[in-house]
Amino acid sequence: MNAKQNENVEQLYTLFNEYRSAYAAEWERLDRCERVYRGEHWQDVPVQDENEPRPMTPVIQSTIENVRADLMDQMPEAIVLADAPGHERVAEMLTAVLRENHRLGRFDREYARLLHDLLVGGYMVQETGFDAEAMGGFGAAFLRAVDAHNIMFDPLCTDIQDSRAIFKFAPYPRAWFEARYPKQAADMREDMNRVLRMEDNYLSRGNGDTLLLIECWQREYDPEAGRFRVHMCKLAGRQLLEDSRVEKPEGYFVHGQYPFVVTPLFARKGTALGYGFVDMFETQQRYADKLDQIILKNALMASHNKLLVTGASGFDPDDLRDWSKEVHRGENLNGVTWFPTAPLPGYILNYSQGIRQSIREESGSNDFVRGQTYGGVTAASAIAALQEAGSKRSRMVARTVHGAFEEAVRQEIEVEREFCIFPRKVALQNAAGGKAEHAAFTGEDMFELTARNNRLPLEFTVSVRAQRENRFTVAAHNELVLKLVQMGMVTPDIGLELMLFDGKREAQAMMRARAQQPAAEQDGIALSSPAAYGQGAEVNV
């Protein structure tokens, strides 16, 4: 590196150290939230007696998983709509492209990771970009989850797009750098900025000869062009490995935004981060478990009452301790006294249960949301109605997640517009339900030429649809459709189209194939059927 590059690298490491100092307490909070979620919060309490019980009822973990399961039923799916007539086919192809990108990138797995970070840590981070090796080398845009422990935003900004820089990092062994960056690997120095914890309670990972790979994203305003440019460089061991300013001076992405979307659960003033369920209910969980500890200690003490033996009694304490003997010899029974443990007041037991119930109620994870009903409620429509009424908190979180997903998808569309150079085949759903139609899609399809031969980008509307798989909701929906068919308000074929069940497309295809058969052929089948003349009747031709 030349002197100018060395100066820039040192400035970036100085800024990285500033961020790291600001995030030290935040990483401790994230670690504490994970411990409480796993039920390991007793590790934060000093050990006074090795034999004292440390009970833990996983109320927070159960609550989070119930809310997470409800949100998994509402996993978002992007539907692209054209903003102007004549662009419907491009919007349909783009919808198919996004669906294929999310299938290849296993967005269902990424979505589960995002929900965990959102509910436990308080915020989730989505990253958009382009993977040139996907689709057999044709490339495809991606939407991924970023671990909240592995990224830092500007602590001075509430909007990440105003950050001076965004750092994403991960440790790798030196051999990894030697294989990919052999020229810079020889000059890499020991990295004192190891941010990640290198071991947990069960998996030991020695530091070894590892270095921290840092992706530094910077967004700059170009007054001459009147637009923002975003650049990314990779650093490790105080060496510059890659710099997009050299490879692509016009900007890493044309859209000029940081390719990250941060979504807080409960907003925090003065930062883009948030609080999660653990932060809200950690105190109640700790108090409930502390009460359980008191109750268990009282039960253990009551299980072996103390015996007081005076010297004037004439009894041998060791002899009295032997329960196998039927006769004990002594002088005076007044010198032998039992000291039973006094029972705890009944309100302590009720208070412990009340704390746990309040966590479930206040978090929105009540009995109705869990699918538990009382009073003989068995109808699917009634259960679905109770779940909808009791899941206001989950629906609020789902709207927040869907809004962040829409924002990330818009960036994903711009990435496809910029980088999709080679034609890629996409399957379009046939509106009539027949075989899927295949079409070739490129980024050029997302532009149009004006009368003056100017190349303008097409605008689209992104609609987010929830992929609900809740069996009670589906059953309630099918019950409503059946009632409409029975009342004659819709025809059976329309009712079949509206219903939700496995094998629906196959049933529709068989019905269409049967309807398209020639009338004469159907008449021939009907005449040749024994049922046309009565069961078992003989027909002479």
Side-chain angles (χ1 to χ4, degrees):
M1 293 189 301
N2 53 39
K4 180 65 174 178
Q5 289 179 332
N6 280 327
E7 181 181 357
N8 292 337
V9 168
E10 291 301 322
Q11 290 178 353
L12 293 179
Y13 269 96
T14 301
L15 185 61
F16 180 84
N17 291 334
E18 177 186 338
Y19 279 31
R20 183 190 62 173
S21 300
Y23 266 76
E26 174 65 17
W27 288 327
E28 291 181 2
R29 185 191 70 86
L30 291 175
D31 289 341
R32 189 188 73 251
C33 289
E34 289 290 340
R35 289 195 300 272
V36 174
Y37 168 77
R38 295 194 304 265
E40 300 173 353
H41 55 272
W42 281 109
Q43 298 175 3
D44 302 331
V45 180
V47 178
Q48 298 178 354
D49 183 4
E50 293 291 344
N51 297 323
E52 69 179 5
R54 292 194 163 193
M56 203 290 299
T57 303
V59 181
I60 287 184
Q61 193 270 349
S62 175
T63 298
I64 289 176
E65 288 305 307
N66 275 281
V67 176
R68 184 164 169 254
D70 195 13
L71 295 175
M72 286 298 296
D73 288 342
Q74 303 184 56
M75 188 173 70
E77 180 184 15
I79 306 297
V80 182
L81 305 175
D83 275 1
H87 303 150
E88 290 81 3
R89 183 172 178 82
V90 179
E92 187 180 359
M93 287 193 296
L94 189 55
T95 300
V97 168
L98 295 176
R99 186 185 303 113
E100 183 70 12
N101 290 348
H102 298 166
R103 186 188 66 83
L104 292 175
R106 290 295 308 276
F107 181 71
D108 55 341
R109 178 184 58 194
E110 301 296 315
Y111 182 64
R113 293 174 55 192
L114 289 169
L115 292 182
H116 176 86
D117 290 345
L118 180 68
L119 301 177
V120 177
Y123 60 94
M124 67 180 190
V125 183
Q126 301 177 81
E127 179 185 7
T128 59
F130 190 80
D131 185 1
E133 299 179 358
M135 299 289 296
F138 287 93
F142 63 78
L143 189 111
R144 297 173 181 168
V146 180
D147 192 339
H149 292 79
N150 295 13
I151 193 168
M152 294 187 298
F153 307 98
D154 195 339
L156 303 179
C157 300
T158 57
D159 186 354
I160 67 168
Q161 297 299 333
D162 297 331
S163 297
R164 292 168 290 175
I166 294 178
F167 293 98
K168 180 185 172 186
F169 46 86
Y172 289 93
R174 184 178 290 271
W176 187 90
F177 293 99
E178 292 175 350
R180 291 162 176 79
Y181 305 100
K183 295 181 180 180
Q184 298 90 335
D187 298 326
M188 288 183 180
R189 303 193 298 273
E190 181 77 11
D191 193 354
M192 303 304 296
N193 293 303
R194 292 194 181 98
V195 180
L196 298 180
R197 295 184 298 113
M198 299 307 295
E199 64 180 32
D200 57 24
N201 298 329
Y202 306 102
L203 179 62
S204 177
R205 294 169 290 179
N207 290 333
D209 194 8
T210 60
L211 298 170
L212 201 63
L213 175 64
I214 302 174
E215 290 184 8
C216 177
W217 295 84
Q218 291 182 296
R219 188 170 182 248
E220 304 167 349
Y221 182 74
D222 186 354
E224 297 182 358
R227 56 189 296 269
F228 283 96
R229 305 184 191 276
V230 61
H231 294 283
M232 189 270 288
C233 62
K234 292 184 179 182
L235 309 169
R238 302 277 174 171
Q239 297 296 313
L240 180 64
L241 306 180
E242 299 179 15
D243 191 352
S244 65
R245 291 178 176 85
V246 178
E247 301 293 334
K248 201 176 179 185
E250 66 275 15
Y252 197 95
F253 293 116
V254 171
H255 57 64
Q257 294 181 329
Y258 284 123
F260 303 100
V261 177
V262 181
T263 309
L265 181 59
F266 303 116
R268 294 155 57 179
K269 292 292 185 180
T271 178
L273 311 182
Y275 291 122
F277 279 115
V278 176
D279 297 289
M280 299 295 107
F281 304 108
E282 175 188 1
T283 303
Q284 291 94 316
Q285 176 77 65
R286 290 182 182 272
Y287 279 143
D289 292 338
K290 182 63 178 179
L291 286 174
D292 280 352
Q293 183 186 52
I294 295 174
I295 294 171
L296 284 177
K297 290 176 68 174
N298 183 265
L300 292 174
M301 293 172 62
S303 65
H304 51 281
N305 295 330
K306 292 184 179 181
L307 180 64
L308 176 62
V309 181
T310 64
S313 66
F315 287 94
D316 183 9
D318 293 332
D319 186 64
L320 291 176
R321 191 180 294 113
D322 188 359
W323 292 94
S324 62
K325 291 185 177 181
E326 297 181 358
V327 178
H328 300 277
R329 184 180 297 276
E331 301 294 337
N332 187 3
L333 288 175
N334 294 330
V336 180
T337 307
W338 285 99
F339 278 89
T341 301
L344 293 173
Y347 70 85
I348 293 183
L349 300 176
N350 297 332
Y351 188 66
S352 176
Q353 294 299 324
I355 292 178
R356 293 185 173 87
Q357 185 62 28
S358 68
I359 294 177
R360 297 189 182 97
E361 292 293 338
E362 297 302 327
S363 64
S365 180
N366 50 43
D367 291 339
F368 291 144
V369 175
R370 296 164 179 254
Q372 300 175 4
T373 59
Y374 306 97
V377 180
T378 57
S381 57
I383 295 175
L386 290 173
Q387 286 182 325
E388 288 296 322
S391 60
K392 292 184 293 185
R393 184 69 62 86
S394 298
R395 293 201 303 273
M396 180 188 69
V397 177
R399 284 194 294 269
T400 302
V401 172
H402 288 183
F405 176 76
E406 178 183 347
E407 183 180 352
V409 166
R410 290 186 182 278
Q411 288 190 358
E412 187 180 358
I413 290 176
E414 295 304 321
V415 171
E416 285 288 351
R417 192 197 305 268
E418 179 181 2
F419 290 95
C420 186
I421 301 175
F422 302 103
R424 53 181 291 188
K425 292 184 179 181
V426 294
L428 305 180
Q429 297 294 335
N430 194 327
K435 292 184 178 180
E437 176 188 358
H438 289 80
F441 174 82
T442 63
E444 287 295 326
D445 294 329
M446 303 170 68
F447 293 91
E448 67 174 350
L449 295 178
T450 63
R452 296 186 177 182
N453 208 30
N454 293 325
R455 188 164 167 265
L456 296 179
L458 300 179
E459 295 295 332
F460 302 96
T461 299
V462 178
S463 175
V464 179
R465 182 178 65 185
Q467 301 179 15
R468 293 192 64 90
E469 297 178 357
N470 186 304
R471 63 188 182 94
F472 295 109
T473 304
V474 172
H477 172 81
N478 290 341
E479 283 182 9
L480 176 61
V481 174
L482 288 175
K483 289 180 181 179
L484 293 176
V485 174
Q486 293 171 359
M487 296 171 62
M489 299 181 66
V490 297
T491 59
D493 55 338
I494 297 179
L496 179 61
E497 181 69 28
L498 295 176
M499 292 185 68
L500 302 174
F501 60 91
D502 294 335
K504 172 182 171 180
R505 292 187 178 276
E506 290 78 2
Q508 290 176 318
M510 294 174 64
M511 292 181 64
R512 280 189 300 270
R514 184 173 182 179
Q516 293 173 359
Q517 291 180 353
E521 182 179 348
Q522 292 188 9
D523 293 342
I525 295 175
L527 289 174
S528 62
S529 175
Y533 302 93
Q535 185 66 28
E538 296 182 359
V539 180
N540 296 323
V541 180

